[in-house]
Amino acid sequence: GTATAIATAQGNSGEAQTEQGNLNLIAAQTSDGGDALARARVAVANSQTLSAGSSAAANNFATGADHGDLNVQLAQEASNSSYAITDVDACCTGTTVAGSSSATNTYGSSSTTSTVDARYTQTATGGESRATTDVYQYRAYDITAASTAAANSASIANEWGYTSIRGRQTSSVDVAADTRVTVSTWSGTAVASAYGVGNTSLATNIGSDMVVDVAQINTGGVDANAQFTGSSSDGGEVLVSSTAIGNAFTGYVCSQCGDAALSGTVNQINGGNITSTGTISANGASAIGSTSAIGNSATFLTTQRGH
């Protein structure tokens, strides 16, 4: 049958949305003292499908709008740690999917046919944001294991409306994403990935203009580690990916969907140590691996009409 374990831990959680009307929101979240810890564990002999996932955040907020203006002023401060731990211990399975996600402060927004003015300030001064995924099996077919860890994370997506974004992210938190897969024998595809980032902002808009003003300061260390060990019984494929970034910003506008342009400024300062490690030990399989360690990353994407 199916074996599943899902664990979620949040210090503060908030959500606000509107439909056919405007939303004007001023919100603040503060998390200190105790840590946020989510732990998911699956220990089975045999299972056709196995899935395990953990998600932890000190502060989490979400907003949404459908045919209405969205005006947000959000402040998030956290001085504690966040841990997401996923463990899998199994004999023999068909498909295995395991993952963990940890963030100190996280903000997500999704809207359509809306004019958006999103202003967020995220400050992380705690000890650590760590995501760990550990898979140990005797026999498996397809395996996917992934860990994602961040100090401050923001994602704003809008469609068919003007978007203005002002983000301020500051982190001194140590971030660690660790994924380990050990399997005696497998067939099919095996994937192990780890992604760690101090501050990250993602802004997208379809069919309308977007203006961004984002500043990111990271002084904490960021470490990403992905490891795979195993033997393939049918010439399978193994993919290992490890990425560590101090500050990351991605802005995307689809002007092919309408008259739209992306403009603004992004300021990034990184003072933390950035480390990325990937290890593959596989017999009888093709292997693909990549590691990246980046202090600051800013990406601007547009799609022009007719291209």
Side-chain angles (χ1 to χ4, degrees), residues 203-219:
T204 65
N205 200 8
I206 294 177
S208 297
D209 294 341
M210 181 167 66
V211 176
V212 298
D213 176 12
V214 174
Q216 300 170 319
I217 301 175
N218 177 65
T219 57

Side-chain angles (χ1 to χ4, degrees), residues 214-237:
V214 174
Q216 300 170 319
I217 301 175
N218 177 65
T219 57
V222 180
D223 180 76
N225 176 52
Q227 297 184 13
F228 178 87
T229 302
S231 298
S232 177
S233 60
D234 64 349
E237 186 177 48

Side-chain angles (χ1 to χ4, degrees), residues 23-292:
L23 174 63
N24 299 304
L25 174 69
I26 299 176
Q29 293 178 319
T30 301
S31 182
D32 56 19
D35 299 329
L37 168 61
R39 183 190 296 271
R41 183 164 190 259
V42 175
V44 297
N46 302 311
S47 175
Q48 183 63 34
T49 302
L50 188 155
S51 61
S54 61
S55 175
N59 293 313
N60 180 32
F61 209 98
T63 57
D66 185 358
H67 288 79
D69 294 345
L70 179 63
N71 302 299
V72 177
Q73 296 184 43
L74 174 65
Q76 295 176 313
E77 296 183 7
S79 59
N80 53 352
S81 297
S82 177
Y83 301 97
I85 302 171
T86 299
D87 291 319
V88 172
D89 190 352
C91 169
C92 310
T93 65
T95 301
T96 296
V97 177
S100 59
S101 176
S102 173
T104 306
N105 297 307
T106 180
Y107 168 53
S109 180
S110 178
S111 53
T112 182
T113 319
S114 173
T115 298
V116 175
D117 184 5
R119 300 170 179 263
Y120 57 91
T121 300
Q122 297 175 319
T123 305
T125 59
E128 190 175 22
S129 175
R130 174 177 289 273
T132 301
T133 305
D134 193 352
V135 176
Y136 183 84
Q137 291 191 222
Y138 175 73
R139 179 73 172 89
Y141 288 89
D142 295 329
I143 304 174
T144 300
S147 302
T148 302
N152 296 313
S153 175
S155 176
I156 297 94
N158 190 31
E159 297 181 7
W160 312 114
Y162 176 79
T163 301
S164 175
I165 297 173
R166 183 184 186 275
R168 298 292 183 266
Q169 297 174 312
T170 304
S171 171
S172 59
V173 171
D174 288 332
V175 176
D178 187 28
T179 301
R180 301 171 187 269
V181 176
T182 302
V183 57
S184 294
T185 180
W186 97 96
S187 60
T189 303
V191 179
S193 66
Y195 178 81
V197 61
N199 299 306
T200 178
S201 285
L202 171 65
T204 65
N205 200 8
I206 294 177
S208 297
D209 294 341
M210 181 167 66
V211 176
V212 298
D213 176 12
V214 174
Q216 300 170 319
I217 301 175
N218 177 65
T219 57
V222 180
D223 180 76
N225 176 52
Q227 297 184 13
F228 178 87
T229 302
S231 298
S232 177
S233 60
D234 64 349
E237 186 177 48
V238 55
L239 297 91
V240 170
S241 174
S242 175
T243 303
I245 305 175
N247 297 302
F249 170 82
T250 300
Y252 170 75
V253 162
C254 177
S255 59
Q256 188 174 2
C257 310
D259 295 330
L262 170 62
S263 61
T265 61
V266 176
N267 295 309
Q268 298 173 320
I269 299 175
N270 178 65
N273 294 324
I274 311 301
T275 306
S276 177
T277 305
T279 304
I280 301 175
S281 178
N283 295 322
S286 61
I288 300 174
S290 67
T291 62
S292 299

